[in-house]
Amino acid sequence: MNVAQLDQIGLVVGAVLTLMIFSYLLADNALYRIAIHIFIGAAAGFLLIAALEGVLIPWLSATVLAQPSELSRVGIGLMPFMFGLLLAFKGSSRFSRLGDYGLTLMIGVGAALALVGAVNGTLVPLIAVTVREVRPENVINGVIGVIGTVSVLVFFTYFGVRRPSGAVEALLPVRFMGWVGQAFIAVTLGATYGLLILSALTALTGVITDRLLPWIGR
Amino acid sequence: MTEQNQRPMFDDDSLPAWLTRAGITHAPRRATPPPATADPRRASQVAPRLQITVPPWETPQARDLVIEPIPAPMDDVLPPWLRPFKGTLPDFPAAGPLPHWQTEVIQSVDADMPTWLAPALEAAPTDSFDLDFGAPSAADEDNPFADLERPRSGFTTMLNPNKLGGTDIFAGLDWASESEAQTPADESKLIKTDQLGSLEWQGSETPSSRGQPKIIHTDQLGSLEWQTGGTPELTSADDLFASGDAPLPDFDFGTAQSAPPEADFLAGTDDDPFAGLDIPMDDDPFADVTPVQTGALPSLPTESEPPLAEPAPTSRGLLSFLETTPESATGALPSADLADMDWLDAANQMTPPADSPNFGATAESAVTDAAFADLGWLDSSPEPTKPAPSGGEADKDLLAALAGLETKPTGQTSSPADADWLLTGALDPAQAPDLSTLGDLPDLTGAASDQPTADIPDWIKTGYLPDQLPDGPPAEPPTPKSIDALRASTESLRETAGPTPESAQPAMEIPDWLMTGNLDESKLPSLPQTSSLMSAALAAADEDVPEWLRGSQASTSMPNFSAQASAAPNLDEDLPDWLGTGALTDSVDAPAKPLDASATTDKSPLADVPRPSKVRRPETAVDLAVGDLDIDSLLSSATAAIDLSALQAESAKEQPTVEADLDTLELSTAQSTAALEAMSALPDLGADLALDLPTDLPPDLGVMASAAPDLTAAAEAPALPVAPLPAPPPAEPAKPEAPKGRGRGRGRKDRSTTEVAVAAEALPEWVEVLKPSTGPVIFEIGDQKVAMEDQPIAALPAHLRALREKLGAVISLPTQLEPKGSTLEGIQNALSPIATTGAPSTAAAIAGGRRTAAQARAVGTLQAILSAQDALMQKRGEEDLAQTTFIARKVRSRPKLDRFLVTLALIASVLLPFFTDVASVFQVPRPETLSATDQARFDAFFNAVESVQGGTPVLVAFDYAPSATGELDELAKSLLRDVLRRGGRPVIVSTNPSSALHAYGLISDLANDVAFLTSLGRAEPFAARRDYWVIGYLSGGIGGVRALANALYADTFEQRVIFDQDTEGQPTGLSAADIQALRNLPTFLLAGANEDVRAWVEQYQTPQNAPQGESLRMVLMVSAAASTVAQSYTASQPNRILSILIGLRDSYLYAQASGQLSDATMQQNADRRWQSVAWSALMSGIIILLGAALNMIRDLARRRRQA
């Protein structure tokens, strides 16, 4: 069996699985579930293989199994396994505390990276671009951008005043800005949803163009 | 006068130890408020003073008595003379002068004395305190013995204040003063207390241990205590017994002089009744007694204490009787309420004649022991332990002794009245024999001696009062004119009473008024203290006393108090004149009625009540008059009583006697009430009430005791004129209070009784009525058991019994079990037996309970609740089942039409452009038609691609999932073709394993694409790790991106980990220069989601160790879904993010601009694809809008329906 034949088999299997997934349009059916299960199983298996071949083996080869062996390199190479082992203790109620150390490391490092990256890569650039958009030649876009940004930020603001009844209620300007921000969010989500549909349709048309039309000879 | 005589005469502390051990003590003096109906004359009567009615074996440890006040509710029940005395017994009086009221009373008694007695008193020694038990109020002319010569010798206890050195022995009594302030004139009623005490004597049981004295302490018996003026600190039996050197009251047998307390005649003789006791002879009060001289008048039988005519516990004769009975010396005397004691006492004050019988135990005693032994009225013992040494007839000796004491001729003693008085004291004078026909004393004596004791009525022999009294007072018999007449009268009485059983029946025949014996001494005729009279009386008693009067000792059943109470007759009418006018009529509110024999039948409410076996009946005049009773019978019955008492004595060792005795009075409420009613209705005959009751009452009676009237308090009241009480009070709930803090607690009572009684105290009265008496009734409710005490049916009030009978017929439901399926399943009668509030709380009644209407409703409600709960649970179960079914059905849900239509519409819109040009209605984007902004983006993109030089590694990040392949694969292919065409070597990395694998397949296909290779003029495909590298998966998400950025600037361990191996696990072969070249060219990021874009944009930044001026740049090629975020980052960081390409449209433009759509087919397919996407997007938009509209309409409709 050559590569061309494998490609044909892959094309047919892909087409069948695609139809099985599309069968969900009619209803939740076994074909859909079978296709989903195959996809999840294949993805998990692939992930395991990818992690083994793309992460563990390179890691061990570069650290522990590297020649000449260096203690520091071995220690560093074993360190991820140590934290991984701590995480494995989370499954035990008796030793779950040990897993907290690995989890703490992961969360701490991840939070630090996310925070630094968000500030430097998202907030500051977005604020800057918003300010830069307010230009005389693009006043409307700038105003819409400012209003949208501020209103959305206000919408996610949960400050308010406490009423005599005990309820905490935002002030009217804040609420008004929140309503505006909510509208921007709705438009953004709608556009995102439409783009998702568009991406799906593009994928569908790509399959039809690349798989179906050649198969039917067009 | 000895030193002892100088001490308070009636101070029990001063009594010799052997006397106190023998149970001899002094009754307390007490004051009693005058009854409302008291005869004014009674105020002048001498109050009773000495009452010792408790046999020694019954009061072993008189201590720790607690005298509780009479409950307030008892005010309605108690007679008026009891009500004022609610408090505790006053402190024991200190010896002191007699209160003025006492003195007045005594003086008044003296004033009331018959004139024929006055000389006797005058002749009597003054150093003795006359024990005046109420002088007869009758005038001298009424004295039947007026013509009789005063007996010159005899048994007389003289309680003369002068003996105390002229000081009033009660003067120092604070309590006496208080009582005086209240009711000084009613002192005479106090005597009656001992009559209750005498009831216990009539018990047929014999104490098991005679040697163990048991007495009721004087402080326990209010009347006794009160009358014991000289016992201020006598608070317990120990004190009483400990005072061995206490002087006896003048208890002179046969001496008219100041008799020392010692009675020598008792010592050392075979007839010494104390011989069997370990009595120190030094303390023998009779040691110095000398016979009363002939001619000396005895003391006037004024108001006398009720004699404690307790039957001797043994058959050792009189002295034995005296030994074992505290007040035997007086109690055994034939006196009507001790009236006869006075003349005997007076005789004691006299010098016995030379020929008088020697009562001492020694040969020097003038009174012989035989005289005592032959005292038929005393000798009731069937088996005298010590027969008279003289061997003479008892009666004869007695009479001889009396003859030696008397001064009056025998013939004068033979008046009918005398005989009547002497015999019974309380007997109807009509029954009295005509003593005038007795003849000379010797004859009479001989007749009396010849008269078999069996003929003497039992109750006279034994001195016991019957437990049950006859139906009514005996018909007034004709006045006997002789002994025969007396016999006839007694027979008439016997006939009136009807046939009687051996024990109970005689008792039932005793008239009520006779049983109490508390005749008013003032009404009694003068005592003809002649031996002839005594002999005649003895003889008559032997023959003529009814049988019902004899067997009283055998009777142990309780009289019907309620009957007595309810039908207390007017004794004035029933009694003979000499009785009715004196004792009974003056102070009787509701004259006592003789007990009805039928009252003890089953119909009686007390029929089922266990009768206390040791209830002591009041000392009656009959008891005291039976001086010539059969000693054997008397003692035999006493033995029986002793046996009973001994049983209690064992348990009463550590308990106050009164408390123990009062246990016997713990009867039902009904009994108590009835008894109190009877008491209240009884006439005040001026006799003491001595309580000596059995202690072995069943616990159920103890239960009732709490609800019963506080008869203890009544008995201990300062003045308790309960003399006319026909029967002992049935209940005594109140616990005696320890006088003056003495004693050791109060509770040696039977534990069960105590516990039940204590429990009963906390319960309301109506609950007390329902208390069980026949043992615990176990209610089983499931696995729980509840024990309830039952009570005798007879203890219930009449209305409750009637209700019980009525309900008994109704409550007949069988035992029911709760129905299955209910919560109470299996529980037996869980709800049924609630009718106990209306039905008797007996086990049988409860077991067959019947639901009332209210209970049925309650049951229905409960069942409804339970059924509702069951229904709810069942409904929930059904819902759960339905939900499960729904889930299962959902799996097999049918295809939905809307989804089918949408599917068809989308399929048609997607496929239709590929099969027809009719659907190509949308404009295909062309590079020439790009806007300036889009053109700038494309220009920046192409500039970044064109910066790739030949052989230069280019970092391409594939971070999109397979779902975005249809949109980004064209961009990826276009980018890779353009890079490969320019000689660049793509180094593909990904933070998504699947994307890395997809990149691997994509570049492999492209590297082997013939058309692409042909367009490039290459004959061989591109090779991995030479022309391209698929590094593969960057683990750690954003950390991996950050590690990649750091690895580009440091030849470290981290750099080698990332770049040493590719996806195939092969060494990449990338050199440090290659890796360093990666940071010089922009990185092309293919991202399908916002998160991927943000991760790369945020983390793929120039590290701090990057060379100055260098920065990591990137070009974004994202899907339409990630376009919004990518465009923002691109716009915000134009220096770092060089350009951006978005989705299929930019891919199509990029392919057209880069010349990758070389042939017409590829261009046509690209155009149809664009039309397909356009149509499908349009159709999707339309469907979404339609769906939104429909959903909004449905929602509005649903809201409208809900509204």
Side-chain angles (χ1 to χ4, degrees):
Chain A
M1 182 175 295
N2 52 24
V3 176
Q5 293 175 344
L6 292 177
D7 290 342
Q8 292 299 324
I9 295 174
L11 180 63
V12 174
V13 171
V16 171
L17 291 175
T18 301
L19 294 176
M20 293 171 63
I21 296 298
F22 275 107
S23 66
Y24 185 77
L25 294 174
L26 300 175
D28 190 5
N29 55 79
L31 297 178
Y32 170 78
R33 291 178 176 273
I34 291 173
I36 293 296
H37 293 167
I38 291 173
F39 175 77
I40 295 174
F46 175 76
L47 183 62
L48 177 62
I49 295 173
L52 181 62
E53 293 185 355
V55 178
L56 294 180
I57 292 176
W59 176 262
L60 292 176
S61 301
T63 56
V64 179
L65 302 178
Q67 295 298 331
S69 176
E70 297 178 1
L71 183 60
S72 59
R73 188 183 305 174
V74 172
I76 293 175
L78 293 177
M79 189 174 295
F81 293 97
M82 183 184 66
F83 288 109
L85 184 62
L86 293 177
L87 292 176
F89 283 117
K90 294 296 293 182
S92 172
S93 59
R94 184 176 181 182
F95 302 102
S96 60
R97 280 181 172 270
L98 298 176
D100 294 341
Y101 297 102
L103 196 63
T104 302
L105 180 64
M106 292 177 60
I107 294 175
V109 174
L113 293 176
L115 182 63
V116 174
V119 173
N120 296 331
T122 303
L123 292 180
V124 174
L126 289 180
I127 294 173
V129 73
T130 303
V131 173
R132 284 197 301 268
E133 290 295 330
V134 183
R135 296 188 300 260
E137 63 274 15
N138 197 8
V139 176
I140 297 177
N141 291 337
V143 172
I144 293 175
V146 171
I147 293 175
T149 302
V150 173
S151 64
V152 171
L153 291 176
V154 170
F155 174 77
F156 287 103
T157 300
Y158 299 96
F159 298 105
V161 294
R162 185 178 296 278
R163 299 298 182 187
S165 62
V168 178
E169 189 178 45
L171 298 176
L172 182 59
V174 176
R175 284 184 291 172
F176 177 77
M177 292 297 292
W179 294 337
V180 175
Q182 189 174 6
F184 275 92
I185 292 173
V187 173
T188 303
L189 292 179
T192 303
Y193 182 70
L195 294 175
L196 289 175
I197 294 175
L198 184 60
S199 298
L201 293 176
T202 303
L204 176 61
T205 55
V207 171
I208 293 173
T209 303
D210 298 338
R211 306 299 178 183
L212 182 58
L213 293 181
W215 183 63
I216 62 177
R218 293 181 63 125
Chain B
M1 183 69 64
T2 61
E3 182 180 357
Q4 295 175 345
N5 292 333
Q6 294 177 356
R7 301 179 60 181
M9 181 172 294
F10 296 101
D11 187 352
D12 287 345
D13 291 335
S14 61
L15 286 177
W18 62 270
L19 270 180
T20 55
R21 283 195 299 268
I24 298 176
T25 181
H26 299 286
R29 177 181 295 275
R30 59 186 177 185
T32 306
T37 58
D39 191 328
R41 293 177 299 175
R42 293 190 59 80
S44 62
Q45 295 175 357
V46 177
R49 299 177 184 90
L50 178 61
Q51 282 301 321
I52 306 172
T53 60
V54 182
W57 57 84
E58 295 183 355
T59 58
Q61 300 293 335
R63 59 175 61 185
D64 301 337
L65 296 182
V66 177
I67 301 173
E68 296 181 356
I70 300 174
M74 292 298 104
D75 289 342
D76 300 332
V77 182
L78 292 176
W81 46 266
L82 269 178
R83 295 174 186 173
F85 300 94
K86 300 177 181 179
T88 58
L89 191 66
D91 297 336
F92 284 93
L98 192 65
H100 64 84
W101 56 270
Q102 291 279 3
T103 306
E104 291 175 1
V105 169
I106 295 174
Q107 291 174 356
S108 64
V109 169
D110 294 340
D112 293 337
M113 289 180 185
T115 54
W116 60 273
L117 286 177
L121 280 178
E122 294 174 0
T126 57
D127 56 348
S128 63
F129 187 82
D130 289 337
L131 184 62
D132 296 334
F133 295 101
S137 61
D140 290 344
E141 55 270 17
D142 297 334
N143 181 9
F145 305 102
D147 298 333
L148 295 178
E149 182 182 358
R150 299 295 192 276
R152 289 175 296 178
S153 64
F155 297 94
T156 302
T157 300
M158 300 296 292
L159 302 179
N160 195 331
N162 296 331
K163 196 171 183 179
L164 301 175
T167 59
D168 188 354
I169 61 173
F170 304 106
L173 306 182
D174 296 337
W175 55 271
S177 301
E178 296 175 358
S179 301
E180 174 188 359
Q182 295 179 352
T183 56
D186 205 43
E187 182 69 12
S188 59
K189 297 179 179 179
L190 303 177
I191 301 175
K192 300 180 179 64
T193 308
D194 65 343
Q195 300 184 356
L196 267 185
S198 65
L199 293 176
E200 186 164 350
W201 281 76
Q202 300 176 18
S204 60
E205 300 178 13
T206 302
S208 59
S209 59
R210 286 192 51 204
Q212 188 175 14
K214 179 181 180 182
I215 65 171
I216 291 180
H217 192 273
T218 55
D219 58 2
Q220 301 169 0
L221 299 175
S223 61
L224 298 179
E225 181 86 10
W226 275 72
Q227 299 179 25
T228 306
T231 58
E233 296 179 357
L234 183 60
T235 56
S236 66
D238 293 340
D239 297 337
L240 177 65
F241 297 148
S243 58
D245 56 348
L248 274 178
D250 289 342
F251 199 83
D252 299 338
F253 294 90
T255 177
Q257 297 177 353
S258 176
E262 295 78 8
D264 295 336
F265 69 95
L266 294 174
T269 61
D270 295 337
D271 293 336
D272 184 4
F274 303 98
L277 300 176
D278 186 12
I279 301 173
M281 298 310 296
D282 295 339
D283 297 332
D284 188 354
F286 307 103
D288 299 332
V289 172
T290 57
V292 178
Q293 294 180 357
T294 304
L297 287 176
S299 176
L300 178 65
T302 57
E303 179 180 3
S304 59
E305 276 186 65
L308 304 177
E310 305 295 342
T314 61
S315 58
R316 291 186 297 170
L318 170 63
L319 295 183
S320 175
F321 176 73
L322 295 175
E323 166 200 353
T324 55
T325 58
E327 291 77 25
S328 57
T330 58
L333 292 177
S335 170
D337 291 344
L338 295 182
D340 50 345
M341 284 288 297
D342 293 336
W343 62 269
L344 293 174
D345 198 1
N348 290 335
Q349 310 303 322
M350 303 174 183
T351 301
D355 57 347
S356 61
N358 185 4
F359 286 101
T362 60
E364 294 78 10
S365 299
V367 179
T368 61
D369 297 333
F372 288 92
D374 293 339
L375 291 175
W377 55 276
L378 291 173
D379 187 5
S380 61
S381 174
E383 296 178 0
T385 56
K386 294 181 179 180
S390 61
E393 295 295 333
D395 297 341
K396 185 177 180 179
D397 293 340
L398 171 62
L399 292 175
L402 294 175
L405 299 173
E406 280 186 339
T407 58
K408 187 175 182 178
T410 305
Q412 294 178 339
T413 64
S414 357
S415 66
D418 292 345
D420 181 75
W421 170 87
L422 181 61
L423 276 176
T424 61
L427 287 177
D428 193 325
Q431 303 177 15
D434 188 0
L435 299 181
S436 62
T437 61
L438 294 178
D440 296 337
L441 177 61
D443 296 336
L444 291 175
T445 303
S449 60
D450 294 337
Q451 181 64 31
T453 56
D455 296 334
I456 301 175
D458 296 336
W459 62 275
I460 295 181
K461 294 179 191 177
T462 60
Y464 288 10
L465 283 176
D467 293 331
Q468 296 177 348
L469 300 178
D471 294 340
E476 184 175 355
T479 303
K481 299 302 180 180
S482 64
I483 293 178
D484 295 337
L486 178 60
R487 294 174 179 173
S489 63
T490 55
E491 290 297 331
S492 175
L493 290 175
R494 183 183 299 114
E495 293 175 359
T496 303
T500 58
E502 293 181 0
S503 60
Q505 189 60 29
M508 297 170 57
E509 296 176 356
I510 296 177
D512 187 9
W513 54 271
L514 185 57
M515 180 176 178
T516 61
N518 294 312
L519 299 178
D520 191 341
E521 292 80 6
S522 63
K523 305 300 181 182
L524 294 177
S526 300
L527 176 64
Q529 300 172 353
T530 59
S531 59
S532 59
L533 176 59
M534 180 67 72
S535 301
L538 295 174
D542 286 341
E543 296 180 357
D544 298 332
V545 173
E547 184 65 22
W548 56 270
L549 293 174
R550 302 178 182 178
S552 62
Q553 71 279 10
S555 176
T556 58
S557 59
M558 287 287 296
N560 189 344
F561 298 103
S562 61
Q564 296 176 8
S566 61
N570 186 355
L571 295 182
D572 292 339
E573 299 176 357
D574 298 333
L575 291 177
D577 297 335
W578 62 273
L579 283 175
T581 57
L584 301 176
T585 58
D586 293 337
S587 61
V588 173
D589 295 333
K593 182 180 180 180
L595 287 178
D596 189 355
S598 61
T600 59
T601 60
D602 295 338
K603 296 179 180 180
S604 172
L606 302 178
D608 297 337
V609 178
R611 301 182 183 282
S613 58
K614 289 184 60 182
V615 175
R616 178 170 296 183
R617 300 193 181 282
E619 198 71 25
T620 63
V622 175
D623 298 320
L624 306 176
V626 290
D628 54 352
L629 290 179
D630 187 358
I631 295 297
D632 295 338
S633 301
L634 179 64
L635 295 181
S636 63
S637 60
T639 303
I642 291 170
D643 293 337
L644 174 61
S645 302
L647 295 176
Q648 304 165 356
E650 185 66 22
S651 60
K653 289 179 181 177
E654 298 179 357
Q655 180 189 15
T657 305
V658 167
E659 184 177 3
D661 294 336
L662 292 179
D663 292 343
T664 62
L665 292 177
E666 293 174 345
L667 301 178
S668 65
T669 305
Q671 285 180 290
S672 302
T673 305
L676 285 180
E677 292 175 355
M679 292 173 63
S680 62
L682 289 175
D684 184 358
L685 298 181
D688 273 341
L689 173 63
L691 296 178
D692 187 2
L693 302 173
T695 60
D696 56 353
L697 275 181
D700 52 340
L701 294 180
V703 174
M704 299 305 149
S706 60
D710 189 352
L711 294 182
T712 301
E716 297 169 356
L720 186 62
V722 293
L725 185 65
E732 183 48 72
K735 293 180 173 56
E737 183 177 2
K740 305 300 285 185
R742 302 271 300 200
R744 305 172 307 180
R746 41 189 312 191
R748 192 215 35 84
K749 202 189 293 184
D750 182 40
R751 174 173 294 183
S752 59
T753 302
T754 304
E755 293 176 352
V756 176
V758 171
E761 291 177 359
L763 297 176
E765 184 177 0
W766 63 272
V767 176
E768 294 295 326
V769 175
L770 297 176
K771 275 199 169 298
S773 62
T774 58
V777 178
I778 306 300
F779 295 96
E780 295 183 359
I781 303 176
D783 56 347
Q784 298 180 355
K785 293 183 179 180
V786 178
M788 292 185 62
E789 294 289 339
D790 206 340
Q791 68 170 355
I793 298 174
L796 296 175
H799 67 281
L800 288 181
R801 290 198 308 275
L803 180 60
R804 178 182 180 276
E805 294 177 357
K806 183 182 294 183
L807 293 177
V810 176
I811 301 174
S812 60
L813 293 178
T815 301
Q816 297 180 358
L817 295 176
E818 292 300 320
K820 294 182 177 180
S822 64
T823 305
L824 303 179
E825 177 181 355
I827 298 178
Q828 176 178 340
N829 289 335
L831 301 174
S832 58
I834 311 300
T836 51
T837 55
S841 60
T842 58
I846 294 175
R850 181 176 184 178
R851 295 172 184 169
T852 62
Q855 292 172 346
R857 288 193 298 271
V859 170
T861 302
L862 182 58
Q863 291 178 347
I865 294 172
L866 296 177
S867 61
Q869 182 178 1
D870 295 339
L872 181 61
M873 297 301 294
Q874 183 177 1
K875 182 179 180 181
R876 290 180 179 176
E878 293 177 352
E879 290 178 353
D880 295 340
L881 180 61
Q883 184 175 3
T884 304
T885 305
F886 172 76
I887 293 174
R889 189 180 303 116
K890 187 176 180 180
V891 174
R892 299 189 302 268
S893 60
R894 294 176 300 176
K896 298 184 179 301
L897 180 59
D898 53 350
R899 292 188 181 185
F900 182 74
L901 295 177
V902 171
T903 302
L904 290 179
L906 289 177
I907 291 175
S909 61
V910 171
L911 294 179
L912 187 59
F914 289 100
F915 297 97
T916 177
D917 295 334
V918 178
S920 300
V921 295
F922 298 101
Q923 183 181 6
V924 178
R926 303 297 177 186
E928 308 76 59
T929 60
L930 292 176
S931 62
T933 305
D934 292 338
Q935 188 64 43
R937 287 189 298 113
F938 274 92
D939 293 342
F941 177 78
F942 283 112
N943 294 331
V945 172
E946 290 176 354
S947 62
V948 175
Q949 303 298 322
T952 305
V954 178
L955 187 61
V956 179
F958 275 72
D959 265 342
Y960 62 93
S963 58
T965 56
E967 187 178 8
L968 294 178
D969 279 349
E970 294 299 327
L971 280 176
K973 291 178 181 178
S974 299
L975 177 63
L976 291 176
R977 289 192 186 103
D978 200 6
V979 170
L980 290 175
R981 185 181 303 114
R982 295 180 182 277
R985 294 185 298 176
V987 177
I988 301 173
V989 295
S990 175
T991 58
N992 191 339
S994 59
S995 299
L997 183 60
H998 177 70
Y1000 176 80
L1002 180 65
I1003 195 169
S1004 297
D1005 293 341
L1006 185 60
N1008 297 305
D1009 186 1
V1010 179
F1012 175 65
L1013 293 174
T1014 304
S1015 64
L1016 294 177
R1018 292 177 60 102
E1020 56 180 358
F1022 294 96
R1025 288 173 298 272
R1026 187 190 62 184
D1027 300 324
Y1028 62 95
W1029 291 269
V1030 180
I1031 301 301
Y1033 171 64
L1034 293 176
S1035 60
I1038 59 175
V1041 176
R1042 189 71 180 187
L1044 175 63
N1046 293 334
L1048 293 178
Y1049 288 90
D1051 184 11
T1052 60
F1053 157 80
E1054 187 178 15
Q1055 185 183 68
R1056 290 193 290 272
V1057 169
I1058 295 175
F1059 294 103
D1060 281 354
Q1061 293 183 347
D1062 60 0
T1063 306
E1064 295 176 357
Q1066 300 298 321
T1068 57
L1070 291 174
S1071 62
D1074 295 338
I1075 297 173
Q1076 186 176 3
L1078 292 177
R1079 62 189 186 194
N1080 296 326
L1081 294 177
T1083 302
F1084 295 92
L1085 175 60
L1086 296 169
N1090 294 330
E1091 292 78 12
D1092 300 330
V1093 174
R1094 188 172 63 248
W1096 278 94
V1097 171
E1098 291 178 352
Q1099 300 301 326
Y1100 190 73
Q1101 293 182 0
T1102 306
Q1104 298 298 328
N1105 58 351
Q1108 187 67 28
E1110 292 187 1
S1111 62
L1112 297 177
R1113 298 170 296 175
M1114 61 173 50
V1115 175
L1116 301 181
M1117 294 183 291
V1118 298
S1119 64
S1123 61
T1124 54
V1125 176
Q1127 288 178 343
S1128 300
Y1129 281 118
T1130 303
S1132 62
Q1133 304 179 49
N1135 297 327
R1136 195 166 71 95
I1137 302 174
L1138 302 178
S1139 178
I1140 179 174
L1141 297 180
I1142 300 172
L1144 181 61
R1145 175 178 180 269
D1146 289 347
S1147 172
Y1148 185 69
L1149 291 175
Y1150 179 64
Q1152 289 180 353
S1154 60
Q1156 298 178 10
L1157 300 177
S1158 56
D1159 53 3
T1161 302
M1162 294 178 60
Q1163 185 66 40
Q1164 183 182 7
N1165 288 337
D1167 294 343
R1168 289 177 179 174
R1169 185 182 178 188
W1170 178 254
Q1171 295 298 326
S1172 173
V1173 171
W1175 277 108
S1176 60
L1178 178 62
M1179 187 60 67
S1180 298
I1182 294 173
I1183 293 173
I1184 291 172
L1185 293 176
L1186 290 176
L1190 291 175
N1191 288 332
M1192 185 173 62
I1193 294 172
R1194 292 172 58 183
D1195 184 67
L1196 292 176
R1198 183 168 57 252
R1199 290 185 179 182
R1200 183 178 302 174
R1201 288 195 300 269
Q1202 292 177 354

